[in-house]
Structure formats: structure tokens, C-alpha cells
Amino acid sequence: MRVLADVPATGWQTPSDFWGHPSLVGLLPGSDVLEQTSVTSRYFTLHVKVSVGTGEIEQTSLFEAAATGPQLAARTWQDQL
């Protein structure tokens, strides 16, 4: 969806900024949906690339910010050894 591709580098500042996206114009979400909309980041991506000699490995990790601290949600590896 175009909305995700157009997220500003600093994120949306308010839920109204999100709902004002041109792709969402004309949508009339109910109050229950509007109350659930948040622009607070909950997931963060870490991308690591290590090169040694002619070998290279990349790791991408997805973390969820939890009350008990960051929790690993997913991890992928790519190697070119």
C-alpha cells in the first residue's frame, strides 16, 4: 500500500497526519478505529553488515519495544562467503 511507502523519515507526528494521507482520503473510520490509531513506534530494525577478507555476512533483526526491554521478534541472515 502506498501509505507505508510514504511514511516520512521522522514518522507521522500525529494520527491526523496519518489519516490525512492522500490514499486514505474518503475513508471514514469509526471512532473505535480512530482511538486505536497511534504514531508511536513499537518495532525497530537493526541491520548489521560484516566483511572479513572476501567474505561478507548481513543480519537484519526486528525488535519490539516492550515494558521489560527490547524483545527480538525476527532475525534473518544473508551470507556471501
Side-chain angles (χ1 to χ4, degrees):
M1 180 180 248
R2 187 77 218 160
V3 178
L4 295 178
D6 290 344
V7 174
T10 57
W12 285 291
Q13 299 303 305
T14 67
S16 296
D17 293 340
F18 167 77
W19 288 109
H21 187 277
S23 294
L24 301 176
V25 170
L27 280 177
L28 299 173
S31 61
D32 57 332
V33 172
L34 293 174
E35 290 171 10
Q36 294 177 47
T37 305
S38 173
V39 294
T40 303
S41 296
R42 203 170 119 197
Y43 293 94
F44 300 88
T45 302
L46 171 68
H47 184 78
V48 178
K49 183 176 184 179
V50 177
S51 299
V52 177
T54 60
E56 187 175 278
I57 191 163
E58 295 183 45
Q59 173 191 314
T60 302
S61 300
L62 178 66
F63 291 93
E64 180 179 7
T68 57
Q71 303 294 314
L72 180 64
R75 178 179 288 152
T76 61
W77 295 90
Q78 295 177 338
D79 59 16
Q80 299 171 359
L81 300 174

